[in-house]
C-alpha cells in the first residue's frame, strides 16, 4: 500500500520546492492536493516535481482558484480514469495496483475531491456515488480512498456506502475540512497532522501504510468439524427402520423423564447406524467453491513450476483458471437458485457467505482483547454474568403450584396427527438445542415419530412435569453492537432449547392464549397475532397528531427495562396466571417449565459449565414472550400507554395552558416496576416533548433524583421520530442502511449471477429496508425525501442492468417492478383496507362511525365520511389521509 499525503495548497506554483521537501521527508508515494489554482496558462513544467508524475484537473469555468492535482511517484503504477471527469464537480480519479496486493484487495481507487463552499452538494454526492458504483462494478474487491477538501459537505451518503472517515484531528483551525474516506483503513496507520505548506491555512494530512507480512500458515489454518451424513441411501434405511420400530416398551413407562431418555437413546442409535457423524476438513480463508480436485490441480501446477517444466506449467495454469471460473459460476448458480423462494433472512445469510465476507466469530474481538484468545474462559464468564442477572430473585415458591389431584381435562389431550402437522412445519435450517438432533430429522421423519412424541407430550401434560432434558439450553451470546466491548452491556442471550420442547410449548401457548382472550391489554402490540410494530406506530402517531391539531401538546416517555426477559420472577408470573383464570393444569405445567432451568454458553466449539437459573425466561422459546405479556399486562398509568412486549411508551396529552403531570404518572410506573421486580434502564429511558408549548415544560421527569434525558430524536420500534414529526432523520437512516447493502449486489453482479436473481436479492434484502412501516410515514414525506429514497432503487437498477441509456421508467417496466412511491401507496392502501374490513383489527376503534343507512343507499358512496383537520400535518397522517384518499366507492 502507498503512503499518502493530503492537503489544500491555496496556489501550488510558489510551493513546489517545499512540496518536494515534504514528499522526501515523509516518503510520500501519492500526494492529493486541492485548490491548486492552476489554469491553462500555467504550463506543467512549472509544477512538476522530480521523481513524480503530475496529474492535473484545472478549474474550467474561468473562475479564480479551485482545481485539484495528484502527484504519483514514478515507481507507482497508476492509471488516470478520465471518463469520470465531470464539468460540475472538481474531481480527479486514479486506479492503482501493485505487483503484490493484500489478499482481499484487488485495486485501490483514489478520488481527489474539492468541494467549494456553497456548491451544489446533491450533484457532488451524485457524481461521487456514481463513479464509485461504476468502478466497483468492474472491480468489486477494490479499495477506495476518497480524499481532499470537503468543507461542510453532508457525508451521510459516503459513510453509508460504506466508507469510514479516518481523519480525527482538525485540519483548519478547529474544523476537519481535509478528510479521507476509505474502506481499507485497516491497512494504514492513524493519520498524523503536519504543519501547513507555505501560506496555506490548511494543515497537511499524512497516512503511512502498514507493512503487511503474509503469514501463509495463518491463511492455510485447517479446522476439523463433525458433520452428520445426509446420504440418501442412509436416509431411506433410517425411514424403513423407524416405520418398523416397536415403541411398546416406551409406552408402558409412567415416568416422563424415563420415556424421553429411552426415545432419545433410540433416535441417537439409529442415526449413528445409518447416518453417522463424519469429520470434515475446512480451511479458515478458503473460498466455499474450492473442491479437492481443484486443490490437486493447484499442487500439480506448483510442482511444475518448481521443476521449471514451463510447457506443463502453462498448460496447468490455463486449466486452473478455466476450472476456477467454472467452479465459481456453478457454486453461485447453485446457491442463488436454491434461495429464489427463500425469505430475506435466508437471502441475507447466504449472500454474506457467497460474497466472501468474513465468517469470523463476532466475539473474536472481545476474546482477544480481554482474554488473549481464551474462548473457554470467555464462555464461562459470559455464562456467569447471564445467570447472575436473576441471582437476586427469590427461589420459586412451590406452594403456588396448583393441586395435582384435579382430573385431567380431555381438551388438553394431543392427537398424533396434530403432532405430525407441527413436526412437518419445523424449519430444518434452525439450530438444534442441547440434544444435538438436527431439525431435519423431525421434519423428514414426522409420520413415524409423531406417535411416540405424542405419547411423551400427553404424559408430560398429565403429570404436569417437563422432562429435565427439555429444561436445558445452549445460550448463544448475540452482540448488540459490533464489535462488542463489554460483557455486561453489549451481549444478549438467545437460548437454543430442544426442538420437541418448542413444539409442546406451542400447544400449551395456544391453550393459554385461548383462555386469556379478552383479558390482555388491547394496547399490547407485541407477540400477538394480527398486531405488529406498524399497528402500534400508527396508533401512537394518530393520537399525537390529533393532540397537536387540537392546540395541545404531547409529553412522552420511552421506558426501557434492563434485562427484561432475564429478570422475571417466576412466583409473580404464576400468581398472575392464576389471577387471570388460566387452567390449573396448564399453570402446573408452566411451573415445571420455569423451575430448575439450566443453561450453558456456547461459543464455536467451546462450552461453559451448566448453571441453574433462579428466574428469567428463555429468549428464543415459544412461551417466553407470552409469559412476559402476562407479567406486564397489568402495567397501567394515568395517561395513554402503549406496549410492544417490554418496550413501553407513555404519552400525556396536555391541553393548552395546562400543566404536565408526567412526573406523577411516571412514579406510578416506577412503583409497578419495583413491585414486580423489574429494573428500569435509566440510561436508555428518554423523554420527548411535542408541540408549540414544549418550551413551557421546564420540570424534568426525575428518576432517583436524576432527570430523564430529553431528546429531539428517538428511534421507536425501528422508526426514527423527531419532535417535529418530520421524517428527515428516518429517511437518512433507511437510505444509509439500504446503500450499504448495494455493495453486496455489486459482488453478486461480478459473480455472474443472472439478472433475475439480482432482482430477487434486491427485492428480498434491500427494498424491505426502504418500505419498513411505510404506512406510518409515507404520506408525510416531502418531495425531496421521496426522491432520496427513490435514488436507492435507481442505483440498484444501474448495478443490475449496467450503464444503459434506459430511463428509470423503462428500468421499472423491464424488471416488472414499480417505483417505490407506487409501492408505498399500494402497501398503505392494503394496510388500511385490512383495518377497515377486519372488525377485530386492533386499529378498528380509531375509525369514525360509518355512514348511516340512508346515505349508504346512494348510488356512489364511501363507507366513512372524509375527515378534515386544522393542520396539513394531521391531514397527512396515515389514518386521515387514508380516509380521504384510499376509500373506494361502492
Amino acid at each position: 500500500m502507498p503512503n499518502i499525503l493530503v492537503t489544500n495548497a491555496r496556489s501550488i506554483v510558489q510551493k513546489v520546492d517545499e512540496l518536494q521537501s515534504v514528499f522526501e521527508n515523509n516518503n510520500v508515494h501519492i500526494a492529493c492536493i486541492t485548490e491548486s489554482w492552476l489554469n491553462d496558462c500555467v504550463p506543467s513544467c512549472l509544477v512538476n516535481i522530480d521523481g513524480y508524475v503530475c496529474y492535473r484537473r484545472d478549474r474550467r469555468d474561468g473562475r479564480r482558484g479551485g482545481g485539484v492535482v495528484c502527484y504519483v511517484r514514478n515507481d507507482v503504477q497508476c492509471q488516470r480514469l478520465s471518463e469520470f471527469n465531470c464539468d460540475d464537480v472538481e474531481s480527479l480519479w486514479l486506479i492503482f495496483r501493485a505487483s503484490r496486493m493484500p489478499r482481499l484487495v484487488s485495486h485501490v481507487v483514489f478520488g481527489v475531491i474539492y468541494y467549494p463552499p456553497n456548491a451544489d452538494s446533491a450533484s457532488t454526492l451524485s457524481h461521487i456515488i456514481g463513479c464509485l458504483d461504476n468502478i466497483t462494478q468492474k472491480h468489486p474487491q477494490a479499495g477506495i480512498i476518497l480524499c481532499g477538501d470537503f468543507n461542510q459537505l453532508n457525508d451521510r451518503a459516503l459513510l453509508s456506502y460504506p466508507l469510514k472517515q479516518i481523519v480525527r484531528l482538525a485540519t483548519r483551525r478547529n474544523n476537519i475540512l481535509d478528510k479521507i474516506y476509505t474502506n481499507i483503513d485497516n491497512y494504514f496507520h492513524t493519520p498524523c497532522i503536519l504543519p501547513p505548506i507555505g501560506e496555506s491555512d490548511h494543515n497537511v494530512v499524512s497516512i503511512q501504510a502498514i507493512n503487511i507480512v503474509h503469514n501463509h500458515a495463518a491463511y492455510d489454518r485447517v479446522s476439523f468439524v463433525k458433520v452428520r451424513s445426509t446420504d440418501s441411501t442412509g436416509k431411506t434405511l433410517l425411514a424403513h427402520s423407524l416405520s418398523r420400530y416397536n415403541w411398546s416398551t416406551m409406552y408402558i413407562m409412567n415416568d416422563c423423564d424415563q420415556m424421553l431418555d429411552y426415545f432419545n437413546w433410540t433416535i441417537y442409535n439409529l442415526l449413528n447406524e445409518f447416518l453417522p457423524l463424519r469429520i470434515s476438513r475446512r480451511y479458515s480463508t478458503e473460498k466455499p467453491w474450492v473442491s479437492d480436485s481443484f486443490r490437486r490441480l493447484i499442487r500439480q501446477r506448483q510442482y511444475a513450476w518448481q521443476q521449471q517444466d514451463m510447457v506443463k506449467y502453462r498448460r496447468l495454469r490455463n486449466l486452473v483458471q478455466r476450472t476456477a471460473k467454472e467452479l465459481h459460476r456453478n457454486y453461485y448458480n447453485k446457491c442463488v437458485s436454491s434461495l429464489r423462494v427463500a425469505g430475506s433472512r435466508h437471502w441475507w445469510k447466504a449472500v454474506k457467505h457467497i460474497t466472501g465476507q468474513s465468517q469470523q466469530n463476532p466475539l473474536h474481538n472481545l476474546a482477544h482483547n480481554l482474554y488473549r484468545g481464551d474462548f473457554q474462559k470467555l464462555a464461562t464468564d459470559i455464562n456467569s454474568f447471564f445467570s447472575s442477572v436473576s441471582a437476586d430473585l427469590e427461589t420459586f415458591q412451590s406452594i403456588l403450584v396448583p393441586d395435582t389431584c384435579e382430573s385431567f381435562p380431555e381438551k388438553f389431550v394431543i392427537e398424533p396427527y396434530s403432532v405430525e402437522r407441527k413436526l412437518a412445519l419445523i424449519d430444518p435450517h434452525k439450530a438444534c438445542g442441547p440434544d444435538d438432533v438436527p431439525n431435519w430429522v423431525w421434519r423428514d421423519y414426522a409420520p413415524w415419530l409423531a406417535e411416540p412424541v405424542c405419547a411423551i407430550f400427553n404424559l408430560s401434560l398429565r403429570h404436569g412435569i417437563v422432562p429435565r432434558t427439555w429444561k436445558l439450553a445452549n445460550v448463544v451470546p448475540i452482540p448488540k453492537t459490533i464489535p462488542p466491548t463489554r460483557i455486561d452491556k453489549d451481549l444478549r442471550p438467545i437460548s437454543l432449547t430442544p426442538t420437541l420442547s418448542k413444539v409442546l410449548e406451542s400447544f400449551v401457548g395456544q391453550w393459554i392464549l385461548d383462555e386469556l382472550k379478552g383479558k390482555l391489554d388491547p394496547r399490547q402490540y407485541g407477540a400477538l397475532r394480527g398486531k405488529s410494530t406498524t399497528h402500534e406506530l400508527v396508533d401512537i402517531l394518530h393520537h399525537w397528531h390529533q393532540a397537536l391539531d387540537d392546540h395541545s401538546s404531547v409529553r412522552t416517555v420511552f421506558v426501557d427495562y434492563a434485562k427484561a426477559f432475564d429478570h422475571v420472577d417466576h412466583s409473580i408470573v404464576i400468581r398472575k396466571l392464576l389471577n387471570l383464570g388460566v387452567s390449573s393444569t396448564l399453570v402446573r405445567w408452566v411451573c415445571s417449565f420455569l423451575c430448575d432451568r439450566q443453561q450453558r454458553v456456547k461459543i464455536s466449539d467451546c462450552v461453559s459449565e451448566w448453571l441453574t437459573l433462579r428466574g428469567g425466561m428463555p429468549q428464543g422459546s415459544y412461551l417466553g414472550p407470552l409469559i412476559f405479556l402476562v407479567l406486564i399486562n397489568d402495567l397501567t398509568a394515568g395517561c395513554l400507554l402503549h406496549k410492544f412486549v417490554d418496550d413501553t411508551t407513555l404519552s400525556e396529552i396536555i391541553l393548552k395552558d395546562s400543566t404536565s403531570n408526567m412526573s406523577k404518572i411516571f412514579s406510578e410506573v416506577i412503583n409497578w416496576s419495583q413491585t414486580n421486580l423489574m429494573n428500569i434502564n435509566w440510561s436508555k429511558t428518554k423523554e420527548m416533548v411535542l408541540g408549540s408549548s414544549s418550551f413551557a415544560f421546564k420540570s424534568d421527569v426525575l428518576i432517583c433524583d436524576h432527570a430523564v434525558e430529553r431528546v429531539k430524536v428517538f428511534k421507536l420500534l425501528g422508526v426514527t421520530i423527531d419532535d417535529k414529526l418530520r421524517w428527515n432523520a428516518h429517511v437518512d437512516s433507511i437510505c444509509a442502511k439500504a446503500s450499504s447493502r448495494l455493495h453486496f449486489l455489486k459482488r453478486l453482479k461480478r459473480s455472474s449471477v443472472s439478472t433475475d436473481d439480482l432482482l430477487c436479492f434486491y427485492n428480498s434484502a434491500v427494498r424491505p429496508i426502504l418500505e419498513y412501516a411505510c404506512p406510518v410515514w409515507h404520506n408525510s414525506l416531502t418531495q425531496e425525501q421521496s426522491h432520496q429514497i427513490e435514488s436507492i432503487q435507481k442505483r440498484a437498477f444501474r448495478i443490475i442492468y449496467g450503464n444503459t441509456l434506459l430511463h428509470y421508467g423503462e428500468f421499472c417496466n423491464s424488471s416488472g417492478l414499480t417505483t417505490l412511491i407506487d409501492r408505498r401507496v399500494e402497501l398503505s392502501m392494503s394496510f388500511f383496507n385490512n383495518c377497515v374490513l377486519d372488525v377485530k383489527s386492533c386499529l378498528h376503534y380509531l375509525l369514525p362511525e360509518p355512514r348511516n343507512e340512508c346515505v349508504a343507499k346512494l348510488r356512489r358512496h364511501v363507507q366513512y365520511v372524509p375527515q378534515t383537520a386544522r393542520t396539513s400535518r394531521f391531514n397527512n397522517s396515515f389514518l386521515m389521509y387514508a380516509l380521504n384518499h384510499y376509500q373506494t366507492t361502492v
Side-chain angles (χ1 to χ4, degrees):
M1 287 292 179
N3 299 331
I4 305 169
L5 182 141
V6 181
T7 189
N8 181 301
R10 297 287 180 91
S11 180
I12 202 173
V13 176
Q14 305 298 328
K15 304 169 184 175
V16 172
D17 293 338
E18 188 174 351
L19 283 172
Q20 183 169 8
S21 175
V22 173
F23 293 174
E24 292 175 354
N25 293 337
N26 294 277
N27 190 26
V28 174
H29 296 94
I30 297 178
C32 306
I33 302 174
T34 57
E35 286 205 81
S36 63
W37 291 17
L38 300 180
N39 54 51
D40 294 338
C41 299
V42 180
S44 295
C45 61
L46 294 180
V47 294
N48 285 340
I49 295 177
D50 292 341
Y52 289 84
V53 178
C54 178
Y55 296 94
R56 296 171 50 174
R57 181 85 199 287
D58 302 341
R59 179 174 283 181
R60 300 293 184 183
D61 57 7
R63 293 181 296 136
R64 179 174 178 269
V68 293
V69 168
C70 190
Y71 288 97
V72 181
R73 207 163 73 177
N74 289 336
D75 58 350
V76 176
Q77 299 299 317
C78 265
Q79 179 183 354
R80 183 170 182 171
L81 302 176
S82 301
E83 63 270 25
F84 295 133
N85 290 349
C86 176
D87 293 338
D88 298 328
V89 180
E90 298 181 50
S91 64
L92 177 65
W93 297 87
L94 303 172
I95 189 168
F96 158 80
R97 177 171 173 80
S99 57
R100 291 182 64 87
M101 297 286 291
R103 187 181 182 113
L104 300 178
V105 180
S106 61
H107 300 75
V108 178
V109 177
F110 289 90
V112 188
I113 312 294
Y114 175 57
Y115 174 71
N118 303 320
D120 185 359
S121 61
S123 61
T124 301
L125 290 172
S126 178
H127 166 72
I128 295 174
I129 296 298
C131 292
L132 294 180
D133 282 344
N134 292 332
I135 293 169
T136 52
Q137 284 182 43
K138 186 175 181 180
H139 306 290
Q141 291 184 314
I144 298 171
I145 298 178
L146 293 180
C147 50
D149 185 354
F150 291 86
N151 281 300
Q152 301 300 326
L153 178 67
N154 188 333
D155 60 359
R156 291 193 189 97
L158 300 179
L159 296 176
S160 64
Y161 193 78
L163 300 175
K164 181 180 180 181
Q165 205 289 102
I166 59 176
V167 179
R168 297 303 179 202
L169 299 178
T171 62
R172 183 177 183 268
R173 298 193 181 100
N174 295 324
N175 301 314
I176 303 177
L177 302 184
D178 303 278
K179 302 176 182 178
I180 300 174
Y181 298 90
T182 181
N183 61 349
I184 51 173
D185 58 292
N186 53 314
Y187 295 109
F188 293 94
H189 293 289
T190 303
C192 61
I193 304 300
L194 305 178
I197 295 176
E199 298 177 356
S200 173
D201 59 352
H202 286 248
N203 296 329
V204 176
V205 181
S206 174
I207 55 172
Q208 301 291 315
I210 297 174
N211 293 324
I212 301 175
V213 179
H214 294 281
N215 185 352
H216 296 285
Y219 282 121
D220 298 333
R221 189 178 296 116
V222 182
S223 61
F224 298 92
V225 295
K226 291 184 178 180
V227 180
R228 178 74 65 180
S229 173
T230 56
D231 177 61
S232 57
T233 303
K235 285 187 173 183
T236 303
L237 293 173
L238 177 58
H240 180 70
S241 179
L242 284 173
S243 65
R244 303 180 59 185
Y245 194 84
N246 185 0
W247 296 99
S248 58
T249 303
M250 188 190 78
Y251 292 151
I252 63 175
M253 297 178 182
N254 199 37
D255 182 271
C256 198
D257 283 297
Q258 188 180 3
M259 285 184 71
L260 183 60
D261 291 342
Y262 179 85
F263 176 78
N264 287 338
W265 175 82
T266 304
I267 296 298
Y268 292 145
N269 286 342
L270 292 175
L271 280 175
N272 292 332
E273 179 180 355
F274 299 111
L275 298 171
L277 292 170
R278 54 185 176 83
I279 303 298
S280 176
R281 180 177 60 181
R282 294 180 182 175
Y283 291 88
S284 57
T285 58
E286 189 174 70
K287 299 297 183 182
W289 47 265
V290 172
S291 63
D292 289 337
S293 59
F294 184 71
R295 295 190 194 100
R296 287 194 296 271
L297 205 57
I298 292 288
R299 290 195 292 268
Q300 293 173 15
R301 183 198 64 181
Q302 298 304 98
Y303 181 76
W305 171 265
Q306 293 173 1
Q307 298 300 316
Q308 287 299 296
D309 187 348
M310 303 309 296
V311 175
K312 185 177 181 180
Y313 167 76
R314 283 189 287 270
R315 179 177 62 81
L316 290 171
R317 179 197 60 190
N318 296 338
L319 181 59
V320 164
Q321 293 175 354
R322 289 195 300 270
T323 305
K325 289 181 179 179
E326 183 178 359
L327 290 171
H328 194 257
R329 182 172 55 254
N330 292 340
Y331 173 77
Y332 284 111
N333 289 337
K334 177 183 176 182
C335 288
V336 173
S337 62
S338 65
L339 290 166
R340 287 294 300 274
V341 296
S344 59
R345 179 177 63 86
H346 298 86
W347 261 100
W348 187 233
K349 180 179 179 181
V351 166
K352 290 180 71 175
H353 182 67
I354 290 172
T355 51
Q357 296 183 78
S358 174
Q359 299 298 315
Q360 178 176 295
N361 191 307
L363 299 177
H364 186 274
N365 181 70
L366 196 62
H368 283 269
N369 288 347
L370 301 180
Y371 294 89
R372 298 182 179 179
D374 189 349
F375 281 89
Q376 183 64 54
K377 189 174 188 309
L378 174 63
T380 301
D381 286 357
I382 292 177
N383 195 30
S384 298
F385 169 73
F386 285 160
S387 62
S388 68
V389 173
S390 60
D392 61 321
L393 300 177
E394 295 183 2
T395 306
F396 177 73
Q397 302 173 16
S398 58
I399 192 174
L400 294 174
V401 179
D403 188 8
T404 58
C405 63
E406 177 187 330
S407 61
F408 186 74
E410 289 298 323
K411 63 179 180 179
F412 297 141
V413 175
I414 302 174
E415 299 295 337
Y417 71 86
S418 300
V419 176
E420 181 180 347
R421 187 167 59 246
K422 286 188 176 290
L423 292 179
L425 296 176
I426 290 175
D427 186 353
H429 299 98
K430 288 189 175 181
C432 58
D435 54 0
D436 290 328
V437 178
N439 281 339
W440 57 262
V441 172
W442 309 121
R443 185 197 64 174
D444 294 350
Y445 303 106
W448 303 286
L449 296 176
E451 189 173 326
V453 170
C454 182
I456 300 174
F457 284 178
N458 284 322
L459 188 65
S460 174
L461 291 168
R462 191 175 296 276
H463 290 181
I465 295 176
V466 178
R468 61 179 180 277
T469 305
W470 287 353
K471 294 195 283 186
L472 304 178
N474 286 337
V475 173
V476 179
I478 302 298
K480 298 179 183 178
T481 58
I482 301 294
T485 57
R486 296 180 56 175
I487 291 176
D488 57 339
K489 290 187 177 181
D490 297 341
L491 299 178
R492 176 184 291 108
I494 300 299
S495 299
L496 300 179
T497 56
T499 303
L500 292 183
S501 173
K502 294 179 184 177
V503 175
L504 182 52
E505 288 177 54
S506 67
F507 284 105
V508 176
Q510 187 57 54
W511 291 329
I512 293 177
L513 276 175
D514 292 341
E515 298 194 354
L516 292 177
K517 190 170 295 184
K519 300 177 182 178
L520 292 178
D521 187 346
R523 288 201 171 96
Q524 170 61 264
Y525 289 88
L528 295 172
R529 182 173 297 177
K531 296 186 176 183
S532 67
T533 55
T534 304
H535 287 88
E536 176 170 340
L537 289 166
V538 167
D539 192 359
I540 291 176
L541 287 171
H542 179 78
H543 286 92
W544 291 358
H545 280 111
Q546 190 174 47
L548 297 179
D549 193 68
D550 292 338
H551 300 281
S552 300
S553 298
V554 180
R555 192 173 192 180
T556 182
V557 174
F558 307 102
V559 182
D560 183 85
Y561 284 102
K563 306 293 182 183
F565 273 69
D566 304 323
H567 200 267
V568 174
D569 186 272
H570 295 162
S571 301
I572 295 176
V573 167
I574 296 301
R575 192 178 295 111
K576 290 188 176 185
L577 281 171
L578 292 172
N579 292 337
L580 287 170
V582 177
S583 170
S584 59
T585 300
L586 299 179
V587 175
R588 185 168 64 246
W589 191 91
V590 171
C591 288
S592 178
F593 174 80
L594 294 176
C595 293
D596 301 321
R597 299 194 65 88
Q598 291 185 306
Q599 69 176 32
R600 65 181 181 183
V601 168
K602 185 175 183 180
I603 304 176
S604 298
D605 296 329
C606 300
V607 293
S608 65
E609 298 293 330
W610 292 103
L611 292 179
T612 302
L613 304 176
R614 300 186 66 177
M617 294 298 306
Q619 297 189 51
S621 65
Y622 185 95
L623 279 180
L626 176 57
I627 294 180
F628 190 87
L629 296 189
V630 173
L631 173 67
I632 203 171
N633 187 60
D634 59 350
L635 170 59
T636 58
C639 68
L640 196 63
L641 186 147
H642 292 82
K643 309 169 194 170
F644 193 89
V645 191
D646 62 315
D647 290 330
T648 304
T649 304
L650 308 174
S651 302
E652 182 191 13
I653 309 300
I654 306 171
L655 301 179
K656 190 176 182 180
D657 299 327
S658 299
T659 58
S660 172
N661 294 317
M662 181 55 76
S663 294
K664 180 180 178 181
I665 293 170
F666 193 65
S667 65
E668 296 177 15
V669 176
I670 295 176
N671 293 336
W672 180 94
S673 303
Q674 293 173 346
T675 302
N676 291 271
L677 305 181
M678 297 293 295
N679 300 320
I680 294 178
N681 188 338
W682 312 127
S683 62
K684 292 185 179 180
T685 297
K686 307 295 182 183
E687 176 196 12
M688 182 186 290
V689 178
L690 301 88
S692 58
S693 302
S694 59
F695 62 90
F697 305 124
K698 299 298 183 181
S699 60
D700 295 321
V701 179
L702 298 179
I703 304 177
C704 299
D705 298 328
H706 292 87
V708 174
E709 181 184 1
R710 182 175 295 180
V711 296
K712 294 183 176 295
V713 178
F714 187 82
K715 192 169 187 178
L716 177 63
L717 302 178
V719 173
T720 306
I721 301 174
D722 68 17
D723 59 353
K724 303 296 183 183
L725 296 183
R726 298 171 182 168
W727 300 104
N728 305 67
H730 180 67
V731 171
D732 289 341
S733 175
I734 62 175
C735 287
K737 187 175 181 180
S739 296
S740 65
R741 293 197 177 182
L742 292 181
H743 167 73
F744 305 108
L745 194 62
K746 300 172 194 172
R747 298 291 294 270
L748 291 174
K749 173 75 172 181
R750 183 63 176 168
S751 302
S752 303
V753 173
S754 68
T755 299
D756 289 342
D757 292 324
L758 292 174
L759 284 171
C760 187
F761 168 71
Y762 168 74
N763 292 336
S764 302
V766 181
R767 191 174 65 178
I769 298 173
L770 303 172
E771 297 175 345
Y772 171 71
C774 64
V776 178
W777 45 266
H778 163 64
N779 301 312
S780 301
L781 293 181
T782 64
Q783 188 174 9
E784 181 182 356
Q785 292 165 349
S786 184
H787 289 165
Q788 184 179 351
I789 298 174
E790 205 75 45
S791 67
I792 302 298
Q793 182 160 285
K794 293 179 181 179
R795 284 180 59 196
F797 283 164
R798 288 198 298 269
I799 294 170
I800 295 171
Y801 294 104
N803 293 318
T804 65
L805 299 178
L806 292 178
H807 187 265
Y808 177 52
E810 296 173 320
F811 275 136
C812 292
N813 292 333
S814 61
S815 64
L817 303 180
T818 61
T819 63
L820 292 178
I821 296 177
D822 293 340
R823 277 276 301 175
R824 293 197 300 273
V825 171
E826 180 184 348
L827 293 172
S828 299
M829 291 183 66
S830 175
F831 185 84
F832 174 71
N833 290 331
N834 289 336
C835 295
V836 170
L837 297 176
D838 183 8
V839 295
K840 296 182 180 179
S841 169
C842 56
L843 296 182
H844 197 79
Y845 82 99
L846 293 176
L847 297 172
E849 290 293 328
R851 289 178 181 267
N852 58 45
E853 294 182 1
C854 295
V855 178
K857 292 179 181 179
L858 296 175
R859 181 173 298 176
R860 296 177 61 83
H861 74 280
V862 290
Q863 185 175 359
Y864 299 100
V865 177
Q867 304 293 301
T868 58
R870 181 180 63 87
T871 61
S872 59
R873 177 173 54 190
F874 190 28
N875 270 323
N876 290 330
S877 66
F878 168 72
L879 197 59
M880 294 290 289
Y881 190 92
L883 288 169
N884 293 329
H885 296 86
Y886 293 161
Q887 291 192 79
T888 57
T889 57
V890 295

